Amino acid sequence: MTEASREAAPASTRGRPAAGRPRRVTGRAPGEPHRIAYLFLLPGLVAYVVFTLFPVAQTVRLSFYDWDGITSKTWHGLGNYRELFDSTEIRAAFGHSVELILFYAVFSLAIGLFLTALMMHSHVRGLRFFRTVLFMPQTIATVVVAQAFTWIYDPSGPLDAFLRSVGARSFAKVWLGDFTWALPAVGLIGTWISFGLVLILLLAGAQRIPQELYEAARVDGAGFVREFFAVTLPGIRNELLVAATLTTITALRNFDIVYNTTSGGPAGKTEVPSWLMFHDAFEIHRVGLAAAIATVLTAVISLVALGISRFYTEARQ
Amino acid sequence: MTSRLDRYSTYAALGLFSALAIYPLISILFLAFHKKTDNVTGFSLPTTISLHTFTAAWTEGGFAKGMWGSFLVAGSVTAVAAALSLLTGYALGTMRFRGSGLWFNLLVLGLIFRP
């Protein structure tokens, strides 16, 4: 029986000299701790366990088996993980993911920071208009985005037509089929999707910076660059952390853009862990190996997210 | 007061990035206006506006059915998620109880697993 119900029902505790005694001093506010809170948590927690934790645990368990998805599973121990770390294809896929962070996170953060600095430096009209237009790529379904860029990168598409028209004929190529350029081409789609989100986040932070700080910086003779490093950047630290974490996670688990543009090609040059996971599980029916990739990818994403927030807490002190 | 040059270069940069943001969307809109038989190359504007592709999306692509499915999923997911998180958020936000920080972190951890 819990403490709360004992307190609530003194009549049942016969034999105790309860009458007339002052209430026991516990040092807590009355009614605390709120045990009813667990009842409030229960429905959400049940749904969370059933739909999130249980599948995750199931995936981790599957990663120790050899299974084609149909016939019975056989215990495989760490075999899938050994294969994962031995396979040059899978290692390359994780490498591609790291390269995509450059495009999804670093480039879009750079563009976002630059535009934020510009917008804070000189007050332009139509800020709301630009904000809306620049955020638009975020709102479009990724399948549509992939379709649009497949067309743009096509040899008969606008990009190559533009390059030919400005005389850079030798640069025109089959972008998504090129061994060196396919991955950067996919990455730039990520930059295109991400930078609007980054800009919105950073602007929201920057607009909370007191105007007096900018005035003070200008009185002290700070230029564009100095003003950015002395006023804007310190003021948007938290937003930068959120933006960096979100874009890095998006880069690492990128699946839909790759699947809808190159499907990992040419010759596996744009294969990423999420795509391999899908391929192994549903196309070549190696569920155990796919589960192992999923487990490692989840671990990597958690570590990276943790690392970014650590880095920031330390930088602040 | 910022200089005129500053303001113009800001407009230029914002304009450039806005164009980059909007171009792929416009290009797909232009593609939609072309007839199926058109061989579209480069950044050609459609000479005639054909709405055939839009009707085809409804009749052949089953757009209406797909859209209804999307609404159904979006509606039910929002309702259920709002109801569950309302309770959870209320408890975590207004009450103090043992392990509240732990429960909160456990629930936030789920964000990583989202596909």
Side-chain angles (χ1 to χ4, degrees), chain B residues 66-81:
Chain B
M67 204 66 210
W68 175 239
S70 277
F71 270 123
L72 222 57
V73 170
S76 50
V77 164
T78 309
V80 171

Side-chain angles (χ1 to χ4, degrees), chain A residues 100-101 104-106 108-109 194-195 197-198 242-252:
Chain A
L100 286 180
I101 292 177
Y104 273 75
V106 179
S108 56
L109 282 174
S194 299
F195 84 87
L197 175 72
V198 173
V242 173
T245 314
L246 283 179
T247 49
T248 308
I249 291 178
T250 319
L252 285 173

Side-chain angles (χ1 to χ4, degrees), chain A residues 94-105:
Chain A
F94 277 95
H96 295 158
S97 260
V98 173
E99 217 175 310
L100 286 180
I101 292 177
L102 182 72
F103 289 95
Y104 273 75

Side-chain angles (χ1 to χ4, degrees), chain A residues 24-44:
Chain A
R24 196 158 41 94
V25 179
T26 55
R28 301 191 217 108
E32 288 203 330
H34 287 285
R35 289 200 174 68
I36 190 87
Y38 297 118
L39 201 63
F40 277 94
L41 283 189
L42 194 65

Side-chain angles (χ1 to χ4, degrees), chain B residues 34-59:
Chain B
H34 278 283
K35 282 202 285 287
K36 211 190 222 166
T37 48
D38 284 356
N39 185 17
V40 191
T41 55
F43 25 44
S44 59
L45 294 169
T47 44
T48 56
I49 289 181
S50 156
L51 293 176
H52 168 77
T53 49
F54 290 90
T55 51
W58 282 80
T59 53

Side-chain angles (χ1 to χ4, degrees), chain A:
Chain A
M1 195 180 241
T2 64
E3 208 179 319
S5 53
R6 239 185 290 140
E7 277 169 20
S12 67
T13 56
R14 256 170 226 277
R16 263 202 200 176
R21 288 269 305 264
R23 226 181 131 83
R24 196 158 41 94
V25 179
T26 55
R28 301 191 217 108
E32 288 203 330
H34 287 285
R35 289 200 174 68
I36 190 87
Y38 297 118
L39 201 63
F40 277 94
L41 283 189
L42 194 65
L45 219 51
V46 167
Y48 178 62
V49 168
V50 171
F51 294 113
T52 304
L53 287 190
F54 180 69
V56 170
Q58 193 76 353
T59 305
V60 174
R61 199 175 73 92
L62 273 178
S63 71
F64 297 110
Y65 284 90
D66 192 18
W67 190 35
D68 61 4
I70 303 152
T71 56
S72 60
K73 302 188 263 285
T74 50
W75 179 256
H76 202 39
L78 288 172
N80 286 323
Y81 290 95
R82 211 170 297 132
E83 185 176 343
L84 189 153
F85 288 110
D86 284 344
S87 156
T88 46
E89 189 190 10
I90 299 174
R91 280 210 312 257
F94 277 95
H96 295 158
S97 260
V98 173
E99 217 175 310
L100 286 180
I101 292 177
L102 182 72
F103 289 95
Y104 273 75
V106 179
F107 283 6
S108 56
L109 282 174
I111 296 172
L113 277 172
F114 175 65
L115 291 180
T116 306
L118 276 180
M119 282 163 138
M120 294 316 288
H121 182 64
S122 55
H123 287 273
V124 291
R125 266 180 226 188
L127 191 78
R128 200 175 281 175
F129 166 78
F130 284 121
R131 214 168 40 187
T132 311
V133 171
L134 291 167
F135 189 67
M136 235 175 229
Q138 268 290 316
T139 63
I140 310 297
T142 45
V143 186
V144 179
V145 172
Q147 208 59 51
F149 273 92
T150 309
W151 157 242
I152 287 173
Y153 287 139
D154 193 85
S156 65
L159 181 60
D160 280 353
F162 171 74
L163 287 174
R164 276 192 295 269
S165 72
V166 298
R169 187 172 290 269
S170 54
F171 281 108
K173 52 176 69 71
V174 190
W175 293 94
L176 292 173
D178 193 280
F179 274 42
T180 28
W181 287 99
L183 191 61
V186 169
L188 278 176
I189 305 176
T191 310
W192 182 83
I193 294 175
S194 299
F195 84 87
L197 175 72
V198 173
L199 178 70
I200 294 293
L201 285 171
L202 298 186
L203 261 185
Q207 281 168 343
R208 278 205 304 271
I209 299 173
Q211 201 56 41
E212 292 84 46
L213 290 181
Y214 283 98
E215 282 157 17
R218 268 161 223 170
V219 168
D220 288 347
F224 173 69
V225 177
R226 192 101 186 94
E227 180 190 290
F228 172 72
F229 282 108
V231 182
T232 310
L233 193 58
I236 54 174
R237 214 172 242 174
N238 290 330
E239 287 74 16
L240 205 57
L241 167 66
V242 173
T245 314
L246 283 179
T247 49
T248 308
I249 291 178
T250 319
L252 285 173
R253 64 183 181 193
N254 171 29
F255 167 78
D256 32 17
I257 295 293
V258 167
Y259 180 71
N260 287 308
T261 52
T262 61
S263 254
K269 288 290 181 208
T270 58
E271 279 174 357
V272 289
S274 303
W275 184 87
L276 270 182
M277 194 167 88
F278 166 81
H279 176 69
D280 287 352
F282 301 111
E283 290 177 350
I284 61 172
H285 303 294
R286 298 211 43 201
V287 180
L289 183 60
I293 298 175
T295 307
V296 172
L297 182 63
T298 307
V300 168
I301 291 178
S302 316
L303 284 178
V304 168
L306 205 70
I308 295 176
S309 73
R310 256 303 140 69
F311 173 75
Y312 263 80
T313 352
E314 266 165 33
R316 197 171 309 171
Q317 280 155 6

